[in-house]
Amino acid sequence: FFKQKTAYELYQCDWSSDVCSSDLQDKIELAKTLILNIGLRYEYFNPKALYNPNLSKDLQDIKFGHINRSAIPATIKHELSPRISFSFPITAKGVIRFSYGHFYQNGSLSSLYRNPYFYVTNVGTTPTFGNPNVNLQKSVQYEMGLQQQLSENFKFDLTGYYKDVRDYIFTQTVFTPTGREFRVLTNLSYSNVKGITLSFYKRRAPGSLWDARLDYTFQIADGNRTYPANELFYSEISNEQTEMYLVPLSFDRSHVINASLGYTKPNNWSLGIIANFQMGTPYTPILPSTIPRTITYEQNSGRQPIQWNVDLKFEKYFKFGPFDYSLFVKIYNLFDTENEEYVYASSGRALSAVEQTSNKSQFTDIVRRIKRGDPGLFGLSTINGYYSHRPERISRPREVRVGFSIIFN
């Protein structure tokens, strides 16, 4: 057993939890061609905490203070996760593989044990409660692949995968019959990830100088919407749940290409190049409040710009005395690409925002104070470049490193 302490123990709380897991796996070879792996994982989670299944009723009656009249111990969770995989040859140079498995994951302990004493400051607040009794998040994963050797030094790999996640832990807004609002952790959200990866690999043959690899991945990652938060609720008056629909997840990238190229003369020199090209991740467009006609966009309906990068390394080897030496040059971001990593919600760009034109007067007061010479203020250049001079929002510029190494044989 492993005792996990939550962040609340920093505030003298006594909540803790017990976690235990065990794996059983067997490998079976049938007819010297079919390889079968069968496994079973057991997971145990004891929250050792209270939860309140009647928060709504207690909140109506008690209104504020400790809303723990109906609090009872959270149940112990036991989960079994079957897993199976097999592979078999279809030709002398081709293999098909398949895997299937169940996987469980607990939510963060800080969210499970949030507000463990169910304390509400006053009637006017909107309290938020954790819930150590939520189910473990369950994902069912499938993967099927084909590996085919095309020549002595060249092969390709085709892999398709699907991941279905249920009981995703999410904080939901609830309205009591009297209209009182509160938020509580629950199993509500759903997501799935599906995609296909195609890989080509050329290894360096004896007498050859080069090797290469190329991977392409097409992926779609969707999940229940979680924005706008004030629109996601359950009303106990009407017994209605907010309509849920799937939106792209924050890490979704529909197209990703990775490539590497190596050019090597053993014991003499080597040249390596790594390149990456990927679509931008989703973001939620939000127009500033200064625009008269406010538009609400769907969650993650915008896409950040495409990103790409190339790194290079050249190394020259020497031998002197009992040791081998090398001099190398590493160049990160070879073409000094300015990838936009964090964009403004109003524009979808990293170095410009709609606020620059829609709210030109936002810095009027601070500019007046700077010009007046008030002490402790920064220069006007900081204001003028508030949106456009933000290096933390873009990728690092080209970086060149030169060094040497001593190789002990």
Side-chain angles (χ1 to χ4, degrees), residues 161-181:
Y161 56 89
Y162 180 84
K163 179 180 179 181
D164 183 274
V165 182
R166 297 183 182 274
D167 281 339
Y168 202 83
I169 297 175
F170 174 72
T171 299
Q172 184 182 37
T173 300
V174 179
F175 290 94
T176 69
T178 58
R180 183 77 182 274
E181 178 184 357

Side-chain angles (χ1 to χ4, degrees), residues 67-80:
I67 315 297
N68 56 0
R69 181 180 62 186
S70 304
I72 58 176
T75 59
I76 298 175
K77 307 298 188 298
H78 303 270
E79 300 293 352
L80 288 175

Side-chain angles (χ1 to χ4, degrees), residues 170 172-173 225-234 242 244:
F170 174 72
Q172 184 182 37
T173 300
R225 66 168 179 146
T226 58
Y227 170 87
N230 60 355
E231 292 184 6
L232 303 179
F233 63 88
Y234 169 71
T242 304
M244 303 298 289

